[in-house]
Amino acid sequence: MIGRLNHVAIAVPDLSAATALYRDTLGATVSDPVPQPEHGVTVVFVELPNTKIELLHPLGENSPIAAFLERNSSGGIHHVCYEVDDIIAARDRLKEQGARVLGDGEPKIGAHDKPVLFLHPKDFVGTLIELEQA
Ligand SMILES: C[C@@H](C(=O)O)C(=O)SCCNC(=O)CCNC(=O)[C@H](O)C(C)(C)COP(=O)(O)OP(=O)(O)OC[C@H]1O[C@@H](n2cnc3c(N)ncnc32)[C@H](O)[C@@H]1OP(=O)(O)O
Ligand SMILES: [Co+2]
């Protein structure tokens, strides 16, 4: 069911410092910061030849990454995003199998203008999973 790795997301305490690290030290192509108010984060995209890295920083009062950054004060890998062909079929199959789909279970439009859903990290060996419709 899951297909390509779309991105790996890293939560960071200082977005401009993390962007400079990826651009200047690691020599990657990075985007400008893109606010995603629906998701409570600001995102910088790092383009790699075979995938993307998302640098995430909290946005607004109730950011879903705030508690994670409190626990991981220097930042850390926050989620991986896998592509699926049909996000509703994937969601229904996962729910049947007992996995917890986060939020209200309805896909939101993600950073790449495609529907996304998140799966509880405790149901997937300690890793938060994002599904994105390809
Ligand atoms: C823009 C978009 C896109 O790419 O299109 C994005 O990515 S938006 C990316 C931001 N959006 C999201 O992440 C949306 C989905 N995420 C969420 O709803 C939340 O982050 C949760 C996954 C529910 C976790 O929230 P929070 O940390 O406040 O809950 P909590 O403190 O009760 O944590 C419950 C347990 O899960 C663990 N836990 C929390 N976040 C985790 C993570 N990212 N990876 C692995 N484990 C994690 C905690 O350590 C804790 O374990 P213990 O009990 O053992 O201590
Ligand atoms: Co993401």
Side-chain angles (χ1 to χ4, degrees):
M1 180 180 70
I2 61 169
R4 288 163 55 91
L5 174 67
N6 185 276
H7 60 269
V8 175
I10 303 175
V12 302
D14 181 336
L15 193 54
S16 53
T19 303
L21 194 62
Y22 269 78
R23 183 188 56 225
D24 303 333
T25 309
L26 292 171
T29 302
V30 303
S31 75
D32 288 332
V34 184
Q36 303 280 336
E38 286 280 293
H39 293 277
V41 291
T42 301
V43 183
V44 167
F45 301 102
V46 180
E47 295 290 339
L48 303 181
N50 63 339
T51 191
K52 293 181 280 289
I53 305 296
E54 268 184 13
L55 304 177
L56 300 179
H57 189 71
L59 175 65
E61 292 292 302
N62 296 309
S63 174
I65 71 168
F68 180 92
L69 267 178
E70 275 165 28
R71 288 188 296 263
N72 302 276
S73 57
S74 40
I77 294 180
H78 183 262
H79 64 266
V80 291
C81 177
Y82 303 123
E83 295 180 1
V84 293
D85 287 335
D86 180 337
I87 200 159
I88 298 300
R91 175 196 68 188
D92 292 346
R93 173 179 153 156
L94 286 157
K95 280 167 79 173
E96 263 172 42
Q97 291 175 339
R100 283 169 286 177
V101 177
L102 293 168
D104 64 4
E106 294 306 319
K108 286 186 187 172
I109 297 304
H112 315 108
D113 293 326
K114 295 184 173 162
V116 300
L117 281 174
F118 290 86
L119 307 175
H120 201 291
K122 295 296 181 190
D123 295 341
F124 293 94
V125 288
T127 304
L128 176 61
I129 293 180
E130 178 178 2
L131 298 178
E132 179 177 299
Q133 187 158 289

